[in-house]
Amino acid sequence: MSVADLLLLGIVLFVLIDFSAGMVIDYLNEREKAQPLSPEGAEIFNLDEYAKSMAYGTTKYRFEMLTNVISTVVILTAIIVGWFAWLDGYLRDRLSNNLLITVVFIATLIIISTVSNLPASYYSTFVIEEKFGFNKSTEKLFFQDAVKQLLLSLAIGLPLIYAVAWIYQELESQFWIVAWILFAAFSLFMFVFGTRIFLPMFNKLKPLPDGELRTAVEDYCQTQGFPLSKLYEMDASKRSTKLNAFFSGMGKVKIIGLYDTLIEKLTIEETVAVLAHEVGHYKRKHVYTMFAFSNLQTLIILSLMGWLLGNPNLSKALGSDTPSFHLSMLAFFLLFSPVSTILGLINISFSRRNEYQADDYSIQTYPGAREHMYNALKKLSRESLSNLNPHPVYVAVHYSHPPILDRLANLKKV
Ligand SMILES: [Zn+2]
């Protein structure tokens, strides 16, 4: 067996392990869900709502199983029949510039994956979310969003991939240092301006209107030295009934967004408690730790790439005798999926820890927040039919926020 064959075997194995592990974790989570309503849970749901939350979970679980099976079969088939090498050869026959081949190759993958994800996303929005009363989106809005997202990922992704491929062409195994500086600069830009620039393409952000809420918010922001001009109401209700709020940006370029659905369904005190949680993300500098970790992550991946990408066996594993940046990179990512899984687990555990810190901050800085935050979180969970009993492994892999009952328990003891 040649090295390329071994690599191919490794790639197929990792795709299969990833798939099976995902299925097992989903199954564990589905099984864990079926428990009688606990006294803590009864503060959130009545029996009917609880049954509805479990039905919602099961519907999503079954649909996810189906989409996982289909996407894994498609990817495995493409790898085994050498479709990626075929696409590379097809482009190579028609284009002579290597960088251009890479860009068109990646563009093709972005377009195919976006378009092939559309039916699942459509079903999820207009059948599942609709059935449980969450969906507010229209078909027109749905397709507008899809087109905008596709154009954005091409407009951002292609120049970036062109730059990296060019750096690789010039510097080869040393490319990772310069590529890392490029990515760090890009991610700095995205962390600072990303939401500011791209969110308004999808949603309207407007300052909080005058009134009781604004006064209460002003009072709180003053105690925190947080400028009210950075606080917006977002028209989330045009897509979904679910409630949320977010903090984004760095330094002077920061914003807190409150969903209009949140403002509508929470009392003034509860809304301010949620706002205090978002200010907590800012004051505890969570964006900076996330930024640092994301750059460390890129550094690890790029240095491994610098070490391995020159090996022609990577392209060969996918079926091409002509080594290319894009095929080698694709084989690399398929082979290194276990490493990126581990990095993802670390990242998401930071995120859960940050949520506790932000909840604590809310309690420490806003009088009465313990009770208001408690009530706000209960409403948030009820309105999104949250799973009260997720499996711990599922939480470790998928939850950026702690499970609701853990979060409520934390509020009690802070
Ligand atoms: Zn948060």
Side-chain angles (χ1 to χ4, degrees):
M1 213 181 210
S2 68
V3 178
D5 288 340
L6 273 176
L7 289 179
L8 175 62
L9 192 67
I11 288 173
V12 171
L13 215 60
F14 284 146
V15 173
L16 284 174
I17 291 173
D18 196 41
F19 167 74
S20 330
M23 291 295 250
V24 170
I25 294 169
D26 284 1
Y27 171 73
L28 289 177
N29 194 52
E30 174 64 13
R31 218 182 46 179
E32 186 84 6
K33 185 160 63 65
Q35 294 181 26
L37 185 58
S38 64
E40 294 82 16
E43 289 185 35
I44 298 171
F45 294 132
N46 62 33
L47 282 173
D48 281 350
E49 288 162 342
Y50 186 52
K52 200 176 167 195
S53 81
M54 290 207 274
Y56 181 47
T58 302
T59 309
K60 284 197 297 184
Y61 163 66
R62 289 190 181 141
F63 185 59
E64 204 172 295
M65 296 249 281
L66 178 72
T67 51
N68 273 349
V69 171
I70 296 174
S71 63
T72 305
V73 168
V74 170
I75 287 170
L76 275 183
T77 311
I79 292 170
I80 292 168
V81 304
W83 182 80
F84 295 106
W86 173 83
L87 176 62
D88 174 63
Y90 180 87
L91 296 175
R92 214 163 275 286
D93 288 344
R94 282 155 185 82
L95 303 165
S96 54
N97 181 321
N98 277 331
L99 294 176
L100 195 59
I101 295 173
T102 294
V103 168
V104 178
F105 182 90
I106 300 292
T108 311
L109 295 195
I110 292 179
I111 292 169
I112 291 179
S113 77
T114 308
V115 172
S116 58
N117 278 329
L118 266 186
S121 165
Y122 183 93
Y123 185 87
S124 160
T125 306
F126 293 103
V127 179
I128 299 179
E129 296 291 295
E130 183 77 38
K131 183 179 164 197
F132 288 91
F134 295 129
N135 180 43
K136 287 289 201 66
S137 189
T138 59
E139 291 193 349
K140 186 181 165 208
L141 183 61
F142 176 85
F143 286 110
Q144 267 177 3
D145 283 353
V147 171
K148 279 189 216 168
Q149 273 156 7
L150 176 62
L151 292 178
L152 263 181
S153 43
L154 293 172
I156 296 171
L158 298 183
L160 211 55
I161 201 75
Y162 180 89
V164 176
W166 177 74
I167 295 169
Y168 182 73
Q169 179 181 287
E170 300 298 315
L171 299 174
E172 299 208 329
S173 67
Q174 299 301 312
F175 95 106
W176 61 278
I177 308 167
V178 182
W180 182 67
I181 295 170
L182 173 76
F183 274 110
F186 173 72
S187 85
L188 180 66
F189 174 81
M190 289 304 279
F191 266 89
V192 177
F193 298 106
T195 310
R196 215 38 212 264
I197 295 174
F198 299 115
L199 190 64
M201 296 181 186
F202 297 91
N203 283 95
K204 279 200 188 74
L205 294 170
K206 59 172 195 194
L208 281 185
D210 282 338
E212 254 181 282
L213 175 63
R214 192 183 166 96
T215 314
V217 162
E218 255 165 2
D219 291 346
Y220 175 74
C221 284
Q222 218 151 44
T223 66
Q224 298 304 305
F226 189 88
L228 195 67
S229 59
K230 310 288 184 190
L231 185 71
Y232 295 93
E233 176 182 337
M234 189 181 104
D235 60 344
S237 60
K238 68 176 178 181
R239 293 199 183 80
S240 171
T241 61
K242 292 179 181 171
L243 340 170
N244 218 337
F246 62 88
F247 172 80
S248 165
M250 278 180 177
K252 282 204 178 346
V253 191
K254 54 180 173 285
I255 58 170
I256 286 180
L258 300 172
Y259 284 20
D260 54 356
T261 45
L262 181 106
I263 294 174
E264 188 200 317
K265 295 203 176 100
L266 298 190
T267 66
I268 288 174
E269 289 81 5
E270 287 161 7
T271 308
V272 179
V274 171
L275 167 76
H277 166 104
E278 300 305 333
V279 171
H281 279 307
Y282 164 65
K283 292 279 183 177
R284 294 278 178 259
K285 307 209 179 315
H286 292 155
V287 178
Y288 293 92
T289 45
M290 286 301 202
F291 174 72
F293 187 77
S294 119
N295 280 301
L296 178 68
Q297 215 167 336
T298 332
L299 184 66
I300 295 171
I301 294 172
L302 282 170
S303 56
L304 287 171
M305 280 172 91
W307 175 40
L308 294 165
L309 227 49
N311 192 326
N313 284 311
L314 281 172
S315 292
K316 220 178 203 163
L318 292 178
S320 171
D321 286 328
T322 319
S324 63
F325 177 72
H326 45 275
L327 280 180
S328 299
M329 190 177 69
L330 187 61
F332 172 87
F333 277 113
L334 289 166
L335 275 171
F336 275 82
S337 64
V339 178
S340 52
T341 303
I342 293 167
L343 292 172
L345 287 176
I346 299 172
N347 200 6
I348 206 169
S349 77
F350 273 132
S351 164
R352 287 191 301 271
R353 191 206 56 170
N354 290 349
E355 291 307 318
Y356 283 128
Q357 287 188 355
D359 281 350
D360 297 354
Y361 188 87
S362 174
I363 291 185
Q364 287 152 9
T365 58
Y366 180 53
R370 186 191 307 274
E371 187 198 334
H372 299 312
M373 195 68 202
Y374 200 87
N375 291 331
L377 285 178
K378 282 199 297 193
K379 281 188 194 169
L380 243 80
S381 309
R382 188 183 310 134
E383 295 292 334
S384 53
L385 293 174
S386 296
N387 181 0
L388 296 188
N389 313 303
H391 193 278
V393 178
Y394 191 90
V395 172
V397 177
H398 295 290
Y399 272 43
S400 62
H401 288 56
I404 177 64
L405 294 180
D406 294 356
R407 234 176 131 182
L408 292 181
N410 174 64
L411 283 177
K412 273 186 177 161
K413 69 168 191 253
V414 179

